[in-house]
Amino acid sequence: MSEREGESRRASVALRAATAGADVAAASFRTDLEVERKDAKTDVVTQVDRNAQTRVIEILEDAYPTEPVVGEEADALKRVPETGPAWIVDPIDGTNNYVSGNRAFGTAVAAVCDGEPVGAATVCPALGDTYRVGPDGAVCNDKPLSVSDCSDPEAATVCPTFWWDFDHREEYAAATRAIVERFGDMRRFGCAQLELAMVASGALEGTMTNLRTNPWDTVAGVQLVREAGGTVTDLEGNRWRHDSEGLVASNGAIHDELCAATREISQTL
């Protein structure tokens, strides 16, 4: 099997696993859920998250039984191995949305080799959108993805992603200020993988955070953005990795301005 064939197979398995996890989530959406809190009032989890992750891992282990899985819930690894193949899973990205009946949530699965993504899928069942990426490029519902061609920051829409908890609200305020003073408009959806997918589709010009992100919240979406023609870096403009400080994803045309806005978050503290 050639390298391309191997990557294509991994992309297909990622899609199958993400679809299976999304089916679990969809079956309990807008039903009575028992909600648990993790470390913060806004950091919640349900049994459905765990069930969806179990289903995803079943699919992955059936196809690649010896490969490690990095995931948000349960006993999955929390760090991406630097060498060899691995899988990264977020069973329900946007759990706060999920438990409140908001459709902006999805299941994301990424295949990585030596820490770099080679195939991924994000399935948003309540929105009817399936994003996937592999050797043949990035698509949504089988239509090719392409980032926005907007190059004027004052016409661009940008999303602050991830969550600044109550002991870091000055950073949240700084992020908001940096966006509204530089760009045309701002959105926030509470689902990082969907926000990245929206940059890839051209629905947003960019998304940003100064925080170190979780790989299960980002890796699949980052590959979508890149394969759709966009740019993803750290705060200093270096190529983003799963262990980078901060994340700046854009259509490329507004990237320098978005990096400057993201650095401004820490500069104003």
Side-chain angles (χ1 to χ4, degrees), residues 193-224:
Q193 294 284 15
L194 176 60
E195 290 159 354
L196 287 161
M198 293 175 77
V199 175
S201 73
L204 293 170
E205 275 67 54
T207 185
M208 54 83 110
T209 183
N210 65 317
L211 303 175
R212 185 183 296 273
T213 62
N214 299 313
W216 46 84
D217 291 320
T218 51
V219 171
V222 164
Q223 193 189 16
L224 282 169

Side-chain angles (χ1 to χ4, degrees), residues 111-194:
V112 299
C113 287
D114 298 334
E116 290 293 327
V118 297
T122 298
V123 180
C124 303
L127 296 175
D129 288 333
T130 295
Y131 299 90
R132 59 182 178 86
V133 59
D136 296 323
V139 301
C140 177
N141 301 337
D142 295 324
K143 294 182 179 180
L145 291 173
S146 179
V147 296
S148 161
D149 62 1
C150 174
S151 59
D152 181 356
E154 294 185 3
T157 300
V158 170
C159 171
T161 194
F162 293 93
W163 186 247
W164 291 265
D165 210 347
F166 279 96
D167 57 346
H168 292 281
R169 279 305 163 90
E170 70 281 5
E171 295 180 53
Y172 195 175
T176 301
R177 185 180 307 109
I179 290 172
V180 299
E181 289 180 350
R182 291 171 179 265
F183 299 99
D185 207 347
M186 185 180 78
R187 302 283 189 276
R188 189 175 187 281
F189 297 92
C191 178
Q193 294 284 15
L194 176 60

Side-chain angles (χ1 to χ4, degrees), residues 1-226:
M1 182 183 296
S2 69
E3 181 178 351
R4 181 181 177 84
E5 289 172 335
E7 291 180 355
S8 181
R9 179 171 183 258
R10 289 179 181 277
S12 294
V13 171
L15 174 60
R16 189 161 73 247
T19 301
D23 287 344
V24 172
S28 295
F29 183 51
R30 291 181 174 171
T31 65
D32 290 334
L33 299 168
E34 291 188 12
V35 180
E36 303 170 32
R37 302 194 185 280
K38 296 181 181 179
D39 298 328
K41 293 179 180 180
T42 57
D43 191 5
V44 299
V45 66
T46 71
Q47 185 59 44
V48 183
D49 292 80
R50 301 185 183 102
N51 294 345
Q53 179 161 294
T54 297
R55 182 65 185 126
V56 169
I57 292 174
E58 287 175 352
I59 301 292
L60 300 179
E61 289 183 342
D62 181 63
Y64 296 92
T66 64
E67 296 184 358
V69 177
V70 178
E72 183 172 13
E73 310 302 340
D75 296 327
L77 296 175
K78 303 306 175 191
R79 299 183 65 180
V80 178
E82 289 299 320
T83 59
W87 297 87
I88 306 173
V89 175
D90 195 336
I92 302 179
D93 187 36
T95 300
N96 271 303
N97 290 341
Y98 180 76
V99 301
S100 65
N102 186 318
R103 291 186 174 91
F105 69 90
T107 300
V109 179
V112 299
C113 287
D114 298 334
E116 290 293 327
V118 297
T122 298
V123 180
C124 303
L127 296 175
D129 288 333
T130 295
Y131 299 90
R132 59 182 178 86
V133 59
D136 296 323
V139 301
C140 177
N141 301 337
D142 295 324
K143 294 182 179 180
L145 291 173
S146 179
V147 296
S148 161
D149 62 1
C150 174
S151 59
D152 181 356
E154 294 185 3
T157 300
V158 170
C159 171
T161 194
F162 293 93
W163 186 247
W164 291 265
D165 210 347
F166 279 96
D167 57 346
H168 292 281
R169 279 305 163 90
E170 70 281 5
E171 295 180 53
Y172 195 175
T176 301
R177 185 180 307 109
I179 290 172
V180 299
E181 289 180 350
R182 291 171 179 265
F183 299 99
D185 207 347
M186 185 180 78
R187 302 283 189 276
R188 189 175 187 281
F189 297 92
C191 178
Q193 294 284 15
L194 176 60
E195 290 159 354
L196 287 161
M198 293 175 77
V199 175
S201 73
L204 293 170
E205 275 67 54
T207 185
M208 54 83 110
T209 183
N210 65 317
L211 303 175
R212 185 183 296 273
T213 62
N214 299 313
W216 46 84
D217 291 320
T218 51
V219 171
V222 164
Q223 193 189 16
L224 282 169
V225 173
R226 286 175 172 158

